[in-house]
Amino acid sequence: MKKEKISTIGLWSLILVIVLGITNLNNIIWQDSNETLVFTGCNTLAFFFFLAGYFLMRHHKKNEAKKEDNAIKAWRFTKERFSKLYPAVLGGVLFAFIARNLMLKTNITNIFSIFMDSLSEFLGISPIGAVSSSVLWNEPLWYVSAIIIAGLVLYYIVSAKEDLFIGLIAPIVILLTYTLMPYGFALVLAAMSLGMLMYNVIEYFKEKEFSEIEMFCLSLLHIGIIMLLIYYGFKGIPWNNVTTDLILYTFATILLINKDYIAVLYNKSKISDFLGKLSLYYFATHVAFIYLLSWLFPEMGYHASIIFNILFSACWAFIMLYVDEFVITPIFRKTKEIKEEIKPKRGRKATTK
């Protein structure tokens, strides 16, 4: 299966993470103020859960023909996802740990014991309840852990019983979540399940030849949702969370189909892929900067705090991205390259007379 370029999601991944960061700024620092808040209550995480489910299903379809135990397939996928996400988790928790202990003026003799109490968060498992922790230094990162754990469970189920998952298990998970508890780990499971269910629909439309009229209509829908999200951001939420999630799921689907005229513009830009990578590191650090900047500059006004939080979070995300790119990732890449070099050499030796 050829891995196609989907640049459409990169730009919007960063935009929606910034919107989420402003929402957290409002809720943490400015909740009780009389300021006219922008981006009020905007939870965009459903967009990313949906994407995680879609890409999980794509990985499964690519590898389903391999004769391997389903548990091994699930663990291998989880290992790959963990290796991609964990550098951001570790960097985000470490930065928050240093910044918030600095603000708390923690005695140096207590730092080690506090670190040990928080070890599970550094490992990326405490937020999903696997191990208790006294402090969550970087609260939003539990979502990353939840994606990893939910992915392990869902990958195993879909590998073992795909028809049962699509026809029964996924619809039940989605229905129960949105009727009983549309939040927390249940929401992660439901949104990822929906992304997996939509895989075949998205692939069908990606292979379909669109007429100019169809592309124009899809472009209008694309623009309409963007305008709705802008209104949503500046005027607050005029609907409930379920409706918001449906809008984000629809938007993610349009971006993944990648067939309208707006998508053509995205795909001409080389920067979209970079912004998509940057969004993960922005998410990993933005809460630490909310606390840190409010401590360093307690008199800073509301709109200035928005600008400074965006700038500092983006700059630090850029640094983390390149530390990962040039320090952490090469360790894994080097091993892979060595293996790739060995294979052709063996092949040539076997054919040499």
Side-chain angles (χ1 to χ4, degrees):
M1 183 183 295
K2 185 179 179 181
K3 185 178 179 182
E4 77 281 15
K5 178 183 177 184
I6 307 178
S7 297
T8 54
I9 60 177
L11 174 63
W12 278 98
S13 292
L14 182 61
I15 290 174
L16 293 177
V17 163
I18 290 174
V19 170
L20 179 68
I22 296 174
T23 299
N24 286 331
L25 175 66
N26 292 338
N27 293 336
I28 294 172
I29 305 299
W30 299 97
Q31 183 68 47
D32 299 323
S33 73
N34 294 321
E35 296 287 346
T36 302
L37 303 180
V38 297
F39 302 109
T40 51
C42 183
N43 189 347
T44 61
L45 286 169
F47 176 86
F48 300 98
F49 302 151
F50 181 93
L51 291 179
Y54 167 82
F55 286 114
L56 184 155
M57 194 66 169
R58 190 172 77 165
H59 187 282
H60 161 67
K61 287 293 186 180
K62 182 180 178 180
N63 295 278
E64 64 180 342
K66 292 182 179 179
K67 302 297 182 181
E68 282 185 321
D69 182 78
N70 295 321
I72 293 175
K73 286 183 179 180
W75 277 111
R76 180 174 288 114
F77 170 78
T78 303
K79 180 182 177 181
E80 291 176 6
R81 177 163 280 182
F82 183 82
S83 66
K84 292 177 181 177
L85 297 177
Y86 183 70
V89 173
L90 177 61
V93 173
L94 181 62
F95 178 61
F97 180 83
I98 294 172
R100 293 177 69 174
N101 274 293
L102 179 65
M103 288 181 278
L104 293 170
K105 299 180 180 179
T106 305
N107 190 304
I108 192 67
T109 58
N110 294 328
I111 290 290
F112 181 74
S113 62
I114 294 174
F115 173 82
M116 294 305 297
D117 286 341
S118 308
L119 188 60
S120 54
E121 188 179 359
F122 279 91
L123 296 175
I125 56 177
S126 66
I128 54 100
V131 181
S132 62
S133 178
S134 58
V135 177
L136 281 179
W137 301 104
N138 198 331
E139 301 94 323
L141 288 179
W142 81 266
Y143 292 112
V144 178
S145 297
I147 286 176
I148 294 170
I149 300 301
L152 173 64
V153 174
L154 294 172
Y155 202 102
Y156 176 78
I157 295 173
V158 78
S159 296
K161 299 289 182 181
E162 182 176 336
D163 291 340
L164 182 64
F165 174 81
I166 292 175
L168 184 64
I169 296 175
I172 288 176
V173 169
I174 295 167
L175 180 63
L176 290 179
T177 297
Y178 277 102
T179 54
L180 298 178
M181 50 178 187
Y183 51 83
F185 188 70
L187 177 60
V188 177
L189 278 173
M192 288 182 65
S193 296
L194 184 59
M196 294 169 71
L197 286 182
M198 289 296 294
Y199 172 82
N200 288 327
V201 176
I202 292 169
E203 293 303 302
Y204 169 78
F205 283 108
K206 284 168 69 174
E207 297 297 326
K208 183 181 184 299
E209 289 294 330
F210 278 65
S211 67
E212 291 187 6
I213 294 177
E214 288 172 328
M215 289 183 68
F216 179 74
C217 292
L218 195 60
S219 301
L220 287 180
L221 181 58
H222 190 148
I223 294 171
I225 292 178
I226 291 175
M227 294 177 67
L228 194 60
L229 289 173
I230 293 173
Y231 172 83
Y232 172 20
F234 284 97
K235 294 295 183 180
I237 305 175
W239 44 74
N240 58 35
N241 288 335
V242 175
T243 306
T244 303
D245 290 348
L246 287 175
I247 293 171
L248 291 169
Y249 297 148
T250 304
F251 191 44
T253 299
I254 293 171
L255 295 179
L256 288 169
I257 290 173
N258 204 25
K259 285 284 189 176
D260 59 90
Y261 292 118
I262 310 302
V264 172
L265 296 177
Y266 285 133
N267 289 332
K268 287 182 178 179
S269 172
K270 294 181 179 179
I271 198 172
S272 291
D273 294 329
F274 169 77
L275 295 178
K277 294 178 182 178
L278 190 68
S279 65
L280 173 63
Y281 297 91
Y282 189 103
F283 177 75
T285 57
H286 76 275
V287 162
F289 274 110
I290 289 174
Y291 288 109
L292 184 61
L293 292 177
S294 65
W295 177 67
L296 291 173
F297 308 106
E299 303 300 321
M300 184 182 293
Y302 173 63
H303 293 92
S305 71
I306 292 177
I307 295 171
F308 274 86
N309 271 280
I310 292 174
L311 290 176
F312 277 89
S313 298
C315 289
W316 191 248
F318 183 85
I319 293 171
M320 287 181 62
L321 172 62
Y322 276 91
V323 168
D324 184 11
E325 187 77 17
F326 294 106
V327 179
I328 300 174
T329 301
I331 297 173
F332 300 99
R333 187 189 299 129
K334 184 177 180 180
T335 304
K336 184 177 180 181
E337 288 175 350
I338 291 174
K339 291 180 180 178
E340 292 298 325
E341 289 175 3
I342 292 173
K343 289 180 182 179
K345 288 180 181 178
R346 288 177 177 173
R348 287 194 295 271
K349 185 177 181 180
T351 57
T352 302
K353 293 181 180 180

